[in-house]
Amino acid sequence: MLKAVILIGGPQKGTRFRPLSFEVPKPLFPVAGVPMLQHHIEACSKLPNMKEILLIGFYQPNEELNRFLSCAQQDFKISIRYLQEYAALGTGGGIYHFRDQILSGSPEAFFVMNADVCSEFPLPEMLDFQKEHGDAYSFVILGTTANRKQSLNYGCIVENEQTDEVLHYVEKPSTFVSDIINCGIYLFTPEIFQHIGTVFQKNQQDMLLEEQSNGWHRAEVIRLEQDIFTALAGQGKLYVYKTDRFWSQIKSAGSAIYASRLYLNQYHTTHPERLATNREGGPKTRGHVYIHPTANIDPTAVLGPNVSIGTGVTIGAGVRVRESIILHGATLQDHSCVLNSIVGWGSTIGKWARVEGTPSDPNPNDPYAKIDSETLFRDGKLTPSITILGCNVNIPSEVIILNSIVLPHKDLNRSFKNQIIL
Amino acid sequence: MKALILVGGYGTRLRPLTLTVPKPLVEFCNKPILLHQVEALVKAGVRHVILAVSYMSELLEREMRAQEQRLGIKISLSHEKEPLGTAGPLALARELLTDNEEPFFVLNSDVICDFPFEDMLRFHQQHGREGTIVVTKVEEPSKYGVVVYEGDTGRIHRFVEKPQVFVSNKINAGMYIFSPAMLRRIQVRIDANTISEKHCHFIWNFQKYIYFFNCFWMDIGQPKDFLTGMCMYLQSVRQQAPERLRTGPGFLGNVLVDPTAVIGENCTIGPNVTIGAGVVLEDGVRVKRCTVLKGAHIRSHSWLESCIVGWSSSVGQWVRMENVTVLGEDVIVNDELYINGANVLPHKSIADSVPEPRIIM
């Protein structure tokens, strides 16, 4: 019997996803037409022995999350529950805190995954790999190859090439260690909790030795990466399964567009019904486009490649949308042009307006390049990036909004370039 | 009567347009700049026009032959071998201009206005002095040559070229009437068969009179002013000959459209737009404050403001162009680009957006 745990974080996490994360918890943000989490859940529910999916995070219960959970339960016919941490306990602390829930029913193994990754989820392959490596109690990390420079931004894994054992693990090193990086998807056995428990005890003892208890450093905060993997490396317990299938982090809005593209490509094989086709009376599509059935689109519009259109969106005549996500209820008036942007819920874009961002895609010539999580500012200026319109933003006719971020409920009255508009 | 038009040289400020066509032949509101001036001169009784050029162009010569026929006048070209400024051409054309005692017009070729030639002539004949200089009032005098003079007598105190501090807002409008007597005062020292500027001493101490001109006036020698001048000219067309302008659904303000142009559906054109011969505007195009020259093609859903689109250029779909973008002849702009203040040389293809003003070679 198998289970899966998805770490969904909380409001203090995912700040690079603002202003989109003001409206909806980041794990529910639609990527390729469906909530980010749904891709994880779909992959998990395909495994025949999967009995339960647990979401662990520290979001307060909210309408969207509850609605998502009940829909997902119905759609996938599998138990899906949200376990709320009383505080941010780290990637290891959360699963340790809820270990009884995870182990109830005696699963042989369970997956743990970060919500903010986009992946092909090679879960059956990881299961097979685990049976062939180490003993019945080994743990598997999903790894992939990055280029040397970018590997410094991730958890780096040094492996034994013959046995695939993890010899060494460092999280975000300052000098090059390895080009195999941690994908944030793991396969654990119940034994993991012994190791986490050891770290937990040690933390508690350390805390007693400290003079005062600093609220931020709780004993229960345990990070899988720094605290567990680093210690387990080289002990014959931790193995890495390398994949060369698509994988990306989703940290910023720009990476949501890139992740959309990866999933839309995958729909060819997994969900061809989700891809729009060029049909009579419908808009012209180029490349992969997702259009929700309730969207209302003029036949002279041209959409794609890599476009997702949400529920109830209205798109007027002669509109061009490319490499963008148009969220629920937005309206794009005649002749407008949206490129490399995310248009927020209920926003309006006036006639002939141009909303344009700069893509931050990884170098297409480098097969191992990953999307950069650029800082917002560089040399005192805003780094050109995806344009984001928060919810309910109104863009008047004939203006240009270039490389800008507009916070929710804003009515603009002129063009803006390279700015954050509060 | 005669007129001397100071055409000058390569018209470098109006590049890239003047890389293809000599400046006098660039169409301003669907008619070559020079023709606006020549036709007005002919209307005032001029029968011989002399063009002072420092760059000889076959195209110009050919066009002038055609206009000679059409207007029934004589057009000569006086060729400076090197640029001689303002006085030099006068000296060079001295023979042509002084074969009788009639006064003659002198005109700067970049000037577009409601030419007051008949009035100037009457004024000149009335005061009987040797020269009439036209001044006009402008908002930004520091770009031009300022004239300081006594308002009631018209006596000139001095000229100040491009003053850094405010001196006066009356500037030299580039239009004059001179009598042949004045020409004889120009002392020219001839050095090795060439008349060069440093050898010309133009002595401004002849008796001159100021003609103050109050209608629209613009020096259209550079793209930004070319467009401003276009707006002024179209406004004056609305006042004097409104039937020339195009009106109806989809047209706002003053719009001049050549009869052979084709405009698609759901376009919104204007205010202040000039569309040249054979231009095609596809569906859903929005154009304001632009000149679109002959044979250009603007594809659907594009948005243009304050641009000059060169002859036979092609602007793709969903393009946004603004901020005095000038496309030379036969430029191709790919679909979906943003062009901000680009100055694009002829025969160039643009495949990437230009978010900040620059020159594209």
Side-chain angles (χ1 to χ4, degrees):
Chain A
M1 189 268 257
L2 287 175
K3 288 198 189 183
V5 175
I6 308 178
L7 305 175
I8 68 170
Q12 291 92 322
K13 290 279 166 200
T15 57
R16 272 175 286 179
F17 214 68
R18 290 174 172 173
L20 300 168
S21 47
F22 286 144
E23 301 308 317
V24 95
K26 181 173 143 189
L28 297 182
F29 185 80
V31 177
V34 304
M36 205 184 287
L37 273 184
Q38 190 168 321
H39 298 278
H40 299 57
I41 294 177
E42 274 180 19
C44 292
S45 62
K46 284 202 197 122
L47 294 169
N49 294 339
M50 182 64 63
K51 280 293 172 289
E52 185 173 58
I53 302 176
L54 299 167
L55 309 184
I56 295 182
F58 50 99
Y59 285 99
Q60 297 289 6
N62 63 63
E63 217 188 285
E64 278 115 354
L65 193 50
N66 294 340
R67 208 165 357 153
F68 173 75
L69 288 171
S70 56
C71 288
Q73 295 223 74
Q74 284 188 334
D75 291 342
F76 297 100
K77 314 268 187 293
I78 189 172
S79 163
I80 307 180
R81 291 191 294 138
Y82 171 52
L83 304 175
Q84 183 189 352
E85 298 170 316
Y86 59 91
L89 298 179
T91 46
I95 58 174
Y96 185 67
H97 181 74
F98 288 113
R99 60 193 179 283
D100 294 333
Q101 306 256 18
I102 297 173
L103 295 179
S104 83
S106 307
E108 293 120 40
F110 60 98
F111 288 98
V112 173
M113 359 182 151
N114 289 346
D116 60 0
V117 294
C118 150
S119 170
E120 202 242 0
F121 297 109
L123 308 181
E125 291 87 331
M126 283 172 80
L127 282 168
D128 290 339
F129 176 88
Q130 190 221 22
K131 294 190 176 63
E132 292 154 17
H133 288 76
D135 57 25
Y137 311 106
S138 325
F139 317 126
V140 180
I141 303 181
L142 181 67
T144 191
T145 314
N147 71 30
R148 284 182 70 105
K149 189 157 157 293
Q150 289 179 325
S151 68
L152 304 182
N153 298 322
Y154 298 92
C156 298
I157 299 170
V158 179
E159 60 153 3
N160 176 321
E161 306 235 342
Q162 280 82 44
T163 64
D164 293 318
E165 192 202 330
V166 174
L167 297 175
H168 188 63
Y169 182 92
V170 183
E171 184 68 16
K172 295 191 182 56
S174 49
T175 52
F176 178 75
V177 167
S178 165
D179 58 5
I180 314 281
I181 59 167
N182 174 3
C183 291
I185 296 171
Y186 321 115
L187 178 56
F188 293 144
T189 57
E191 226 209 27
I192 191 77
F193 293 121
Q194 290 175 16
H195 297 284
I196 303 181
T198 314
V199 173
F200 179 68
Q201 304 296 346
K202 181 170 173 305
N203 283 356
Q204 288 216 304
Q205 287 171 353
D206 287 346
M207 297 227 64
L208 290 174
L209 294 174
E210 302 225 341
E211 265 142 38
Q212 60 196 51
S213 162
N214 184 338
W216 288 337
H217 300 303
R218 311 174 84 109
E220 311 85 81
V221 174
I222 300 170
R223 301 154 303 175
L224 275 176
E225 301 81 11
Q226 291 92 326
D227 302 328
I228 308 295
F229 295 158
T230 310
L232 279 180
Q235 314 273 335
K237 293 233 145 285
L238 195 52
Y239 291 82
V240 57
Y241 171 69
K242 290 203 313 257
T243 179
D244 53 10
R245 309 277 182 80
F246 73 86
W247 178 88
S248 175
Q249 267 188 337
I250 311 179
K251 293 291 185 201
S252 64
S255 45
I257 296 186
Y258 178 62
S260 264
R261 189 183 324 145
L262 297 174
Y263 280 136
L264 283 173
N265 285 350
Q266 195 194 29
Y267 283 171
H268 250 336
T269 39
T270 54
H271 284 283
E273 77 285 359
R274 283 187 190 161
L275 290 177
T277 50
N278 274 317
R279 50 173 192 82
E280 264 312 302
K284 185 152 181 320
T285 61
R286 296 185 190 163
H288 297 132
V289 178
Y290 167 83
I291 304 178
H292 193 274
T294 60
N296 186 354
I297 309 193
D298 189 285
T300 57
V302 179
L303 309 178
N306 187 14
V307 168
S308 306
I309 309 286
T311 63
V313 165
T314 304
I315 296 192
V319 169
R320 179 83 184 92
V321 183
R322 194 184 80 204
E323 297 284 338
S324 296
I325 298 176
I326 312 294
L327 295 169
H328 152 102
T331 300
L332 274 52
Q333 293 181 354
D334 296 350
H335 317 297
S336 53
C337 186
V338 177
L339 310 175
N340 301 305
S341 300
I342 299 182
V343 177
W345 306 261
S347 288
T348 306
I349 298 186
K351 293 192 187 193
W352 281 293
R354 184 181 180 99
V355 175
E356 182 179 4
T358 300
S360 45
D361 287 358
N363 180 357
N365 294 325
D366 178 351
Y368 301 130
K370 303 283 173 275
I371 195 159
D372 266 332
S373 252
E374 275 274 7
T375 50
L376 209 47
F377 286 89
R378 195 175 11 153
D379 300 326
K381 292 169 103 181
L382 197 58
T383 319
S385 64
I386 302 291
T387 282
I388 309 172
L389 307 185
C391 99
N392 257 300
V393 165
N394 286 323
I395 308 290
S397 310
E398 302 188 34
V399 299
I400 178 170
I401 308 298
L402 178 66
N403 298 337
S404 292
I405 302 174
V406 186
L407 264 60
H409 306 287
K410 189 80 187 155
D411 277 347
L412 299 186
N413 55 12
R414 62 173 176 88
S415 295
F416 285 92
K417 297 186 204 169
N418 305 302
Q419 290 193 37
I420 300 177
I421 299 140
L422 292 178
Chain B
M1 266 201 75
K2 300 193 180 50
L4 174 68
I5 303 186
L6 305 172
V7 172
Y10 293 91
T12 58
R13 288 178 307 152
L14 211 48
R15 285 177 171 167
L17 301 174
T18 47
L19 289 173
T20 307
V21 147
K23 189 172 62 170
L25 298 183
V26 173
E27 294 98 324
F28 175 80
C29 298
N30 290 346
K31 185 190 320 201
I33 296 172
L34 192 60
L35 220 49
H36 285 267
Q37 300 175 331
V38 169
E39 286 178 1
L41 286 165
V42 169
K43 202 151 150 271
V46 169
R47 290 291 167 265
H48 184 180
V49 173
I50 302 150
L51 304 182
V53 298
S54 60
Y55 155 59
M56 192 55 117
S57 153
E58 244 183 59
L59 209 54
L60 185 58
E61 280 190 279
R62 236 195 342 260
E63 186 61 24
M64 290 305 106
R65 300 283 152 264
Q67 292 305 326
E68 273 188 324
Q69 298 270 10
R70 188 180 139 251
L71 297 166
I73 60 169
K74 182 156 156 46
I75 305 184
S76 319
L77 282 116
S78 168
H79 183 199
E80 310 156 18
K81 294 289 188 298
E82 48 181 287
L84 293 179
T86 336
L90 272 169
L92 198 60
R94 195 210 306 264
E95 279 166 28
L96 287 169
L97 293 166
T98 53
D99 65 358
N100 62 32
E101 284 306 310
E102 266 193 317
F104 54 92
F105 289 98
V106 176
L107 188 49
N108 179 323
S109 70
D110 286 345
V111 168
I112 283 290
C113 63
D114 198 6
F115 298 107
F117 296 137
E118 289 111 326
D119 227 28
M120 269 168 80
L121 190 54
R122 260 194 301 275
F123 177 80
H124 182 85
Q125 285 160 341
Q126 212 175 39
H127 68 63
R129 300 284 170 79
E130 284 184 346
T132 297
I133 298 179
V134 179
V135 302
T136 186
K137 186 165 113 167
V138 294
E139 283 184 2
E140 291 182 45
S142 58
K143 284 165 64 171
Y144 308 105
V146 166
V147 183
V148 183
Y149 66 101
E150 272 167 35
D152 35 359
T153 61
R155 200 163 76 94
I156 299 176
H157 285 200
R158 66 185 196 286
F159 293 86
V160 186
E161 192 61 25
K162 296 191 183 51
Q164 302 278 20
V165 292
F166 184 85
V167 172
S168 163
N169 57 9
K170 314 283 190 304
I171 58 149
N172 176 354
M175 297 185 282
Y176 323 80
I177 298 184
F178 295 133
S179 32
M182 181 281 293
L183 256 191
R184 294 176 200 118
R185 294 176 188 267
I186 302 181
Q187 293 166 351
V188 172
R189 289 208 322 264
I190 299 178
D191 175 275
N193 298 325
T194 60
I195 303 173
S196 70
E197 180 153 26
K198 57 184 185 285
H199 295 135
C200 296
H201 300 284
F202 194 8
I203 299 158
W204 279 99
N205 64 358
F206 60 88
Q207 299 164 314
K208 316 166 277 297
Y209 246 74
I210 297 290
Y211 175 90
F212 181 69
F213 172 66
N214 218 0
C215 302
F216 80 87
W217 180 94
M218 198 74 215
D219 171 339
I220 57 168
Q222 48 189 348
K224 179 161 155 297
D225 296 335
F226 186 98
L227 290 172
T228 308
M230 173 190 70
C231 299
M232 291 180 174
Y233 177 84
L234 291 176
Q235 182 57 22
S236 118
V237 170
R238 172 161 298 272
Q239 283 158 357
Q240 298 178 5
E243 64 284 358
R244 285 177 61 196
L245 298 176
R246 180 81 175 256
T247 49
F251 292 94
L252 302 176
N254 302 331
V255 178
L256 193 61
V257 182
D258 185 283
T260 60
V262 175
I263 300 187
E265 312 208 333
N266 299 317
C267 291
T268 302
I269 314 290
N272 295 319
V273 173
T274 301
I275 309 283
V279 163
V280 175
L281 261 49
E282 289 187 5
D283 296 348
V285 164
R286 175 92 182 86
V287 180
K288 23 188 204 181
R289 206 169 179 276
C290 291
T291 287
V292 183
L293 294 172
K294 182 154 63 170
H297 192 132
I298 317 277
R299 309 207 36 227
S300 49
H301 313 298
S302 285
W303 185 93
L304 278 64
E305 180 178 39
S306 291
C307 300
I308 303 178
V309 180
W311 310 268
S312 307
S313 284
S314 172
V315 175
Q317 298 181 289
W318 289 289
V319 167
R320 180 183 176 99
M321 282 190 1
E322 59 183 355
N323 196 17
V324 195
T325 284
V326 184
L327 305 185
E329 184 195 21
D330 180 40
V331 165
I332 300 178
V333 178
N334 285 1
D335 297 341
E336 302 169 28
L337 300 183
Y338 171 51
I339 311 291
N340 174 20
N343 202 321
V344 187
L345 268 56
H347 311 291
K348 189 89 185 120
S349 276
I350 311 289
D352 294 306
S353 287
V354 183
E356 288 305 315
R358 63 185 182 96
I359 297 170
I360 306 204
M361 292 218 273

